[in-house]
Amino acid sequence: MSIDSIIQEAVARAVASLYGIEADAASIVPQATRKEFEGNLTIVVFPWVKAARKAPEAVGKEIGDWLTANEPAVKGYNVVKGFLNIVIEPTYFTAMLRHMAADSDFGFRKAGADSPLAMVEYSSPNTNKPLHLGHMRNNLLGYSLSRILSACGNRVVKTNIVNDRGIHICKSMLAWKKWGEGVTPEKAGKKGDHLIGDFYVLFDKHYKEEVKALVAGGMGEEEAKNAAPLMQEAREMLRRWEQKDPEVRALWAMMNEWVYAGFDETYKRLGVDFDKIYYESETYLEGKDKVLEGLEKGIMYRKEDGSVWADLTDAGLDHKLLLRSDGTSVYMTQDIGTAKLRYQDFPIDKMIYVVGNEQNYHFQVLSLLLDRLGFKWGKDLVHFSYGMVELPEGKMKSREGTVVDADDLMDEMIQGAREVSNERGRGDMSPEEADEVARIVGMGALKYFLLKVDPRKNMTFNPKESIDFNGNTGPFIQYTYARIRSVLRKAAESGIAIEGYDTVEPNEKETSLIQHLADFPALVAEAGRSYSPALVANYVYELVKEYNQFYHDCTILNEPDTAVRAMRLALSALTADVVRRGMWLLGIEVPERM
């Protein structure tokens, strides 16, 4: 339990005893005492003045006296108007440090067999192009959120839905068939997802030329887009796919396998994985069946043209198309089918979709439909809505081949880390170790920069800024971790034991650092409640800043007082452990040496 929590509960007991007020401990918010006053934590007493029928100063004094007499953690107090400044017993911080250091699961709660089961969907790629920068933010948010929810005591299933069917897939297939000349990833010396992405761009190039020629011949632009021979061929290929034409299905399966192999390689480098992958080619028919079931129950209705709709006007939304007049499904239908399969596979208590904020309305509708169709978690599904990510140069466009490719960006980040490392000097590292550190630092820079921003906000990713060893960056945190590990290794090599510091009274810097560390469990819990990896990222950064101030002001290995030295080593070891745990929640590795 943190010092804040202890004081919250003690103050609640005090006002209950003194004034008969049943105060919610969580509503009592201790603040750090201002530096011009003596004390560690400050409580505002105004909420109880009216009930006590006394002046604020008198109320503060009575609560302070009660705490001093009844709470061992409180050494003394002073009152400034309506503010009660509480002085914590110094050795209590030492005891807290010892208690936190002894907890091998500090900050994390283990899930039990009966713990809630949360499913997190992220990634959701299309099989017509490689993963890009936008996918990276999605993957990293989803993976980090999965770890945070797990650390909060939930059972977690990580899942992915792959968009492996539709007109966009057929565009790549048609381009390969027309201009591919039998090329394979092996022949081209390319990852499969990159090869297929090239054909998607190639289709768009030839398609635009056809549209331009038709417009030049006097046709309107919209008419030309529909009439272009390539688009007509792509639509015919889609119809043949839906009719399960053997030739089209064989080509589709072959090209998708190339893409999946490429995706797997990218996911591995990015450090994310999934417990279960679903494919839209397997879910869209399930969704159709569920919609027809809803039609029978009167939840949906059919128009004269045969299309099926849901009337959501009673919930302040619109009418939603679920099946076209020709019986084909839309995205919403596919999502319903995927939900049906997931619910058959897992006893889900909470479903969290990690999808960009341009789909906010879609998930409002999906939540209502799933609830009406009988999914117990439908009404409370969570759309983890995040903002777009761009480079300083601006937006990305897949069709024009101007996307920021995930593999290229990872290569660039690792190379950037290698160059910075070479400038700083690699010390006695072998080339292999230096390469591994460059990988860890480069990927850490990338991940941290994408995760430290409030996920709801749009952001600009700046590769050069992210690799900086100063400021709120991954490398700055990783460097501090490596520095602490170096201190601890030297202590171990010198045979210095981290024990015998029970009676040490921490100084101001040490006390502040212990308080920061004690906040970690509550921070993890709040990150889980608010679905925010950014809270974890910025907590770790603030912790590292606090440690660096302590490191600058306090001698550690050369401290002559062995008890003080032991306490500072214990404080360093716990800080390193909490930094490692915090970065683990973000999916970021930390190097032992840099």
Side-chain angles (χ1 to χ4, degrees):
M1 183 181 289
S2 70
I3 293 168
D4 284 19
S5 300
I6 290 167
I7 296 304
Q8 284 176 308
E9 293 187 5
V11 171
R13 293 198 309 273
V15 297
S17 174
L18 292 168
Y19 313 119
I21 300 171
E22 294 300 322
D24 178 12
S27 69
I28 301 168
V29 184
Q31 302 289 335
T33 302
R34 288 166 58 178
K35 293 190 180 299
E36 60 263 37
F37 302 113
E38 182 188 10
N40 303 106
L41 296 173
T42 297
I43 298 291
V44 179
V45 303
F46 292 113
W48 309 297
V49 167
K50 186 175 180 180
R53 296 183 179 180
K54 295 181 181 179
E57 291 86 348
V59 173
K61 184 177 186 308
E62 288 181 345
I63 295 174
D65 286 339
W66 192 97
L67 292 174
T68 306
N70 295 280
E71 175 50 62
V74 176
K75 179 182 180 182
Y77 72 93
N78 63 85
V79 179
V80 180
K81 298 182 179 178
F83 299 92
L84 171 62
N85 301 320
I86 300 169
V87 180
I88 303 297
E89 176 63 48
T91 55
Y92 192 81
F93 287 104
T94 310
M96 280 205 69
L97 171 60
R98 190 176 65 253
H99 173 76
M100 292 187 291
D103 184 356
S104 60
D105 294 314
F106 179 62
F108 291 4
R109 289 173 53 203
K110 289 184 177 179
D114 298 326
S115 297
L117 177 64
M119 178 176 280
V120 184
E121 175 197 291
Y122 55 96
S123 199
S124 310
N126 296 330
T127 57
N128 64 314
K129 55 191 175 186
L131 301 176
H132 56 61
L133 177 57
H135 289 117
M136 295 181 91
R137 191 180 195 193
N138 179 297
N139 277 277
L140 295 174
L141 285 170
Y143 189 72
S144 176
L145 183 60
S146 299
R147 285 192 162 182
I148 290 168
L149 291 172
S150 177
C152 290
N154 298 279
R155 293 177 296 142
V156 176
V157 175
K158 306 185 295 287
T159 186
N160 185 1
I161 175 70
V162 178
N163 185 1
D164 64 341
R165 61 175 290 276
I167 190 69
H168 51 292
I169 311 296
C170 291
K171 289 177 182 178
S172 293
M173 291 164 58
L174 184 61
W176 183 87
K177 193 173 179 182
K178 282 182 171 293
W179 304 296
E181 300 178 349
V183 70
T184 65
E186 291 75 21
K187 289 178 183 176
K190 275 190 171 185
K191 286 174 77 236
D193 51 336
H194 286 246
L195 182 66
I196 301 307
D198 290 345
F199 284 107
Y200 183 64
V201 173
L202 188 61
F203 175 95
D204 192 62
K205 175 175 176 270
H206 287 287
Y207 171 59
K208 282 181 175 176
E209 290 172 355
E210 289 185 350
V211 171
K212 186 178 179 181
L214 290 172
V215 170
M219 192 177 286
E221 187 171 350
E222 283 306 311
E223 185 184 358
K225 285 180 178 178
N226 286 318
L230 273 175
M231 185 58 73
Q232 295 290 337
E233 286 186 75
R235 285 178 179 148
E236 174 59 25
M237 181 175 276
L238 178 58
R239 280 190 288 272
R240 289 174 61 194
W241 183 92
E242 291 185 348
Q243 293 163 2
K244 298 186 178 179
D245 179 286
E247 181 188 348
V248 173
R249 285 287 179 124
L251 175 61
W252 169 77
M254 177 182 73
M255 293 178 71
N256 273 352
E257 284 305 314
W258 295 347
V259 173
Y260 298 148
F263 283 172
D264 288 346
E265 192 177 325
T266 303
Y267 287 139
K268 185 176 180 181
R269 288 188 75 195
L270 195 55
V272 304
D273 55 29
F274 309 94
D275 300 308
K276 177 79 174 181
I277 297 179
Y278 294 88
Y279 300 90
E280 288 193 5
S281 58
E282 299 169 357
T283 68
Y284 79 107
L285 292 176
E286 297 283 353
K288 184 176 179 179
D289 290 344
K290 200 70 182 172
V291 168
L292 292 175
E293 179 187 313
L295 184 63
E296 288 177 17
K297 292 179 178 178
I299 300 170
M300 305 355 175
Y301 68 93
R302 192 185 292 275
K303 285 189 175 181
E304 288 183 4
D305 65 356
S307 59
V308 178
W309 297 69
D311 182 357
L312 305 174
T313 53
D314 60 335
L317 302 177
D318 208 341
H319 293 258
K320 178 62 184 176
L321 173 67
L322 295 170
L323 289 175
R324 299 186 185 94
S325 56
D326 61 1
T328 56
S329 62
V330 296
Y331 275 115
M332 188 66 68
T333 322
Q334 294 165 18
D335 277 346
I336 291 170
T338 306
K340 175 186 173 184
L341 289 178
R342 286 171 175 166
Y343 198 66
Q344 288 175 356
D345 293 340
F346 300 96
I348 303 168
D349 296 303
K350 177 72 74 175
M351 182 69 218
I352 302 158
Y353 294 87
V354 182
V355 181
N357 56 18
E358 75 278 9
Q359 295 294 326
N360 285 351
Y361 183 78
H362 177 91
F363 283 97
Q364 281 183 277
V365 173
L366 180 62
S367 177
L368 271 173
L369 290 174
L370 291 177
D371 182 56
R372 293 180 183 185
L373 288 168
F375 294 93
K376 69 174 186 177
W377 47 265
K379 192 174 183 180
D380 298 321
L381 72 77
V382 175
H383 173 206
F384 185 95
S385 174
Y386 64 91
M388 297 298 98
V389 56
E390 300 173 0
L391 286 177
E393 293 79 30
K395 292 184 178 180
M396 304 175 290
K397 296 180 182 178
S398 304
R399 290 186 301 276
E400 297 176 9
T402 59
V403 297
V404 182
D405 179 80
D407 296 308
D408 292 344
L409 184 55
M410 286 190 281
D411 288 341
E412 180 185 331
M413 294 301 300
I414 293 168
Q415 180 58 30
R418 186 178 288 113
E419 290 170 1
V420 171
S421 175
N422 289 338
E423 289 171 10
R424 295 169 66 93
R426 299 188 313 189
D428 58 350
M429 286 188 193
S430 67
E432 294 77 18
E433 186 181 2
D435 283 345
E436 178 63 0
V437 169
R439 182 192 67 80
I440 291 172
V441 173
M443 292 304 298
L446 170 65
K447 293 180 181 184
Y448 186 84
F449 203 94
L450 290 174
L451 290 172
K452 72 177 182 179
V453 179
D454 182 337
R456 293 166 296 184
K457 295 180 179 178
N458 291 344
M459 67 170 293
T460 299
F461 175 70
N462 187 321
K464 186 175 180 180
E465 186 181 329
S466 73
I467 208 76
D468 197 334
F469 275 69
N470 298 299
N472 191 2
T473 67
F476 173 67
I477 294 168
Q478 290 171 318
Y479 180 73
T480 301
Y481 176 84
R483 167 188 275 175
I484 300 172
R485 294 298 301 158
S486 174
V487 170
L488 296 172
R489 278 194 302 274
K490 289 175 182 176
E493 289 164 4
S494 301
I496 301 172
I498 308 178
E499 58 186 28
Y501 58 87
D502 290 12
T503 59
V504 174
E505 294 190 3
N507 63 28
E508 184 181 344
K509 282 279 186 267
E510 293 157 348
T511 297
S512 180
L513 184 53
I514 292 169
Q515 285 183 287
H516 268 74
L517 291 163
D519 289 338
F520 182 58
L523 179 282
V524 174
E526 179 55 33
R529 277 192 297 271
S530 59
Y531 305 109
S532 181
L535 284 180
V536 177
N538 288 288
Y539 166 83
V540 175
Y541 171 61
E542 292 299 327
L543 175 62
V544 161
K545 279 204 304 181
E546 191 75 24
Y547 180 83
N548 281 326
Q549 290 177 4
F550 154 78
Y551 183 83
H552 179 268
D553 293 353
C554 301
T555 302
I556 301 178
L557 293 176
N558 294 325
E559 168 59 45
D561 186 319
T562 56
V564 172
R565 182 180 64 188
M567 189 267 291
R568 290 175 180 171
L569 285 169
L571 194 45
S572 298
L574 181 59
T575 301
D577 191 50
V578 170
V579 169
R580 179 182 56 78
R581 288 171 181 271
M583 296 293 263
W584 180 87
L585 290 173
L586 302 174
I588 299 175
E589 299 171 78
V590 282
E592 292 294 305
R593 298 204 304 163
M594 279 179 71

